[in-house]
């Protein structure tokens, strides 16, 4: 009968008058290989189940030198891109017997540093970090300590680290060239202020696409707004692009949340998409294919990112790969939808 107490291996061993080692082997499904009788295994498992025995994962991990836990630090769990990647990391990690601890840095480097230290204090076996790119000191510490970690989405180009990213340059260039091939010549680019490598690569892809079509880059067509105030700043940015003597005929948004808010502004201004202006987004939201018109987007391979990140980290934790540094650069996919219109 259940007593309300939390049963340990020692409790089960004492109550059944069986060695603690035998109980541990049975509850870790190693009874057969250690030639423990079927009757003994049945008694132990039934007793454990009857008394709601829950294994102490930390103790199990420490006995093997591991906690079987991974720390995941991302900018914001509510961001659909990061939440999707986090979900796939969790699924893949669980398949391998690991639990994932989630934390958000909210793009604050101090918070990110605190989270890294907190995760280490919790004795996680490894870390996955989408960094603010303003924490080189903390990342360098992890490297020097040879602690297993993998960066994703953002990394430090001047540091030799395991990382998984997408080809931001190629994705941005391809979607801009798609607009150019449709006859759009005055293409605006609404983006974040400089600071993050992925954003810089998306801007470069846009600029190089214009050059490849022998178009002179108009610096006024690039609108850079702050991440913290984008919700308020984006309306004036879009107005600036549309109210010129020669208004833009297309806009590339460098992130899905800029595109989402941009669409709200265009609707408020009674701008017709795609007749007045074509719209494309780097990355997408689930609603982009059901709004009218559906939004053309550069789609990031979130499942492949999550899988690659987890594989690399676990290979470091478990020592199965001898490669000094592992880097994955994944391709994006262009989903063409109605927001671009047809060829002019």
């Amino acid at each position: 009968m259940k007593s309300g107490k939390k049963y340990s291996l020692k409790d089960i061993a004492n109550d059944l008058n069986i060695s603690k080692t035998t109980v541990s082997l049975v509850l870790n499904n190693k009874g057969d290989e250690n030639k423990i009788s079927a009757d003994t295994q049945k008694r132990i498992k039934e007793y454990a189940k009857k008394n709601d025995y829950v294994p102490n994962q930390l103790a199990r991990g420490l006995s093997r030198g591991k906690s079987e836990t991974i720390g995941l630090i991302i900018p914001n769990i509510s961001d659909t891109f990061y939440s999707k990647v986090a979900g796939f990391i969790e699924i893949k990690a669980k398949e391998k017997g690991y639990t994932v601890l989630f934390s958000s840095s909210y793009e604050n480097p101090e918070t990110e540093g605190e989270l890294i230290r907190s995760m280490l204090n919790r004795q996680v076996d490894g870390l996955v970090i989408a960094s603010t790119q303003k924490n080189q000191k903390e990342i360098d510490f992890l490297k020097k300590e040879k602690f297993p970690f993998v960066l994703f989405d953002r990394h430090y180009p001047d540091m030799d680290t395991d990382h998984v990213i997408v080809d931001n340059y190629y994705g941005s260039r391809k979607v801009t060239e798609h607009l150019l091939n449709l006859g759009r010549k005055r293409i605006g680019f609404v983006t974040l202020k400089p600071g993050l490598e992925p954003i810089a690569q998306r801007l470069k892809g846009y600029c190089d696409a214009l050059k490849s079509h022998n178009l002179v880059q108009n610096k006024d067509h690039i609108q850079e707004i702050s991440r913290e105030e984008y919700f308020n700043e984006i309306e004036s940015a879009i107005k600036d692009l549309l109210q010129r003597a020669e208004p833009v005929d297309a806009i590339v948004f460098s992130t899905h949340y800029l595109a989402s808010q941009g669409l709200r502004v265009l609707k408020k201004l009674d701008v017709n998409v795609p007749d007045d202006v074509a719209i494309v987004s780097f990355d997408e939201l689930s609603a982009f294919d059901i709004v009218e018109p559906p939004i053309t987007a550069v789609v990031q391979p979130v499942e492949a990112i999550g899988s690659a990140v987890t594989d690399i980290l676990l290979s470091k934790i478990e020592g199965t790969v001898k490669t000094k540094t592992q880097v994955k650069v994944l391709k994006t996919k262009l989903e063409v939808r109605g927001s671009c219109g047809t060829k002019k």
Side-chain angles (χ1 to χ4, degrees):
M1 181 177 292
K2 299 173 187 177
S3 63
K5 69 175 281 188
K6 185 176 180 180
Y7 273 71
S8 66
L9 285 176
K10 184 177 180 181
D11 292 327
I12 298 173
N14 288 341
D15 290 353
L16 296 180
N17 196 27
I18 297 172
S19 75
K20 184 178 174 182
T21 299
T22 299
V23 173
S24 177
L25 289 170
V26 170
L27 294 180
N28 281 288
N29 297 313
K30 295 181 179 180
D32 290 339
E33 64 188 82
N34 285 277
K35 298 182 171 38
I36 298 170
S37 71
D39 180 62
T40 298
Q41 290 189 55
K42 182 180 179 182
R43 285 176 61 210
I44 292 170
K45 289 180 178 179
E46 287 182 349
Y47 191 86
K49 183 178 179 180
K50 182 176 70 174
N51 289 285
D52 289 336
Y53 167 73
V54 178
N56 184 331
Q57 296 293 338
L58 181 58
R60 284 177 59 195
L62 290 176
S63 69
R64 299 167 47 201
K66 295 195 300 181
S67 66
E68 297 176 324
T69 305
I70 293 169
L72 174 60
I73 301 172
I74 53 181
N76 193 334
I77 193 63
S78 66
D79 184 307
T80 56
F81 168 72
Y82 293 113
S83 63
K84 287 177 182 177
V85 174
F88 286 116
I89 290 173
E90 184 175 35
I91 291 170
K92 189 72 179 281
K94 187 176 181 180
E95 291 173 354
K96 303 295 184 179
Y98 287 80
T99 300
V100 181
L101 299 179
F102 300 87
S103 289
S104 298
S105 68
Y106 300 105
E107 300 290 2
N108 185 316
E110 290 185 5
T111 300
E112 181 184 320
E114 290 169 0
L115 289 172
I116 289 173
R117 293 188 291 275
S118 175
M119 292 285 190
L120 294 179
N121 287 335
R122 293 188 184 195
Q123 298 179 310
V124 297
D125 296 325
L127 287 169
V128 176
I129 308 170
S131 179
T132 58
Q133 289 191 294
K134 296 178 181 178
N135 241 328
Q136 190 160 333
K137 182 179 178 182
E138 297 286 352
I139 302 302
D140 194 48
F141 169 78
L142 294 175
K143 277 188 55 124
K144 288 179 179 177
E145 293 296 315
K146 297 182 179 180
F147 186 83
F149 74 95
V150 181
L151 303 178
F152 83 97
D153 188 47
R154 297 99 169 264
H155 70 114
Y156 294 79
D158 296 330
M159 293 183 72
D160 184 29
T161 59
D162 297 304
H163 62 269
V164 177
I165 58 174
V166 301
D167 192 336
N168 290 282
Y169 171 85
Y170 172 80
S172 184
R173 178 164 180 162
K174 187 173 182 180
V175 75
T176 306
E177 287 178 342
H178 177 72
L179 290 169
L180 291 165
N181 291 333
L182 290 175
R184 306 282 176 167
K185 300 297 183 185
R186 301 182 305 278
I187 302 174
F189 192 78
V190 177
T191 188
L192 300 172
K193 289 180 178 177
L196 293 173
E197 179 68 11
I199 299 300
Q201 288 299 312
R202 293 171 195 178
L203 176 58
K204 189 175 188 302
Y206 157 82
C207 293
D208 285 355
L210 297 180
K211 290 178 185 175
S212 72
H213 283 248
N214 298 315
L215 292 175
V216 177
Q217 181 184 316
N218 186 335
K219 65 178 183 179
D220 293 329
H221 285 173
I222 299 173
Q223 296 287 325
E224 295 178 333
I225 57 184
S226 68
R227 179 183 297 274
E228 296 77 16
E229 294 295 327
Y230 81 90
F231 201 85
N232 299 317
E233 294 178 8
I234 197 167
E235 182 169 345
S236 61
I238 290 175
K239 283 181 177 178
D240 188 73
L241 292 173
L242 296 178
Q243 294 176 355
R244 294 181 172 276
E246 288 190 311
V248 298
D249 56 12
I251 300 175
V252 177
F253 291 98
S254 72
T255 75
H256 60 282
Y257 52 87
L258 290 179
S260 178
Q261 184 58 17
L263 288 169
R264 292 187 179 92
V265 171
L266 292 169
K267 183 176 181 180
K268 175 183 176 181
L269 298 176
D270 200 27
V271 175
N272 185 278
V273 177
D275 294 340
D276 296 333
V277 62
I279 297 299
V280 300
S281 169
F282 198 107
D283 206 14
E284 69 169 356
L285 295 171
S286 57
F288 278 5
D289 62 347
I290 60 174
V291 298
E292 188 56 43
I295 308 302
T296 293
V298 178
V299 180
Q300 300 195 70
V302 288
E303 183 172 2
I305 294 170
S307 181
V309 163
T310 311
D311 284 343
I312 292 174
L313 183 63
L314 295 186
S315 75
K316 293 292 183 180
I317 292 172
E318 298 175 358
T320 57
V321 174
K322 302 302 180 183
T323 307
K324 187 175 182 181
T325 302
Q326 298 181 71
V327 174
K328 286 275 188 180
V329 182
L330 303 173
K331 290 292 185 183
T332 57
K333 180 183 178 183
L334 178 59
E335 287 285 354
V336 177
R337 303 183 180 114
S339 65
C340 286
T342 56
K343 191 165 185 176
K344 289 187 174 183

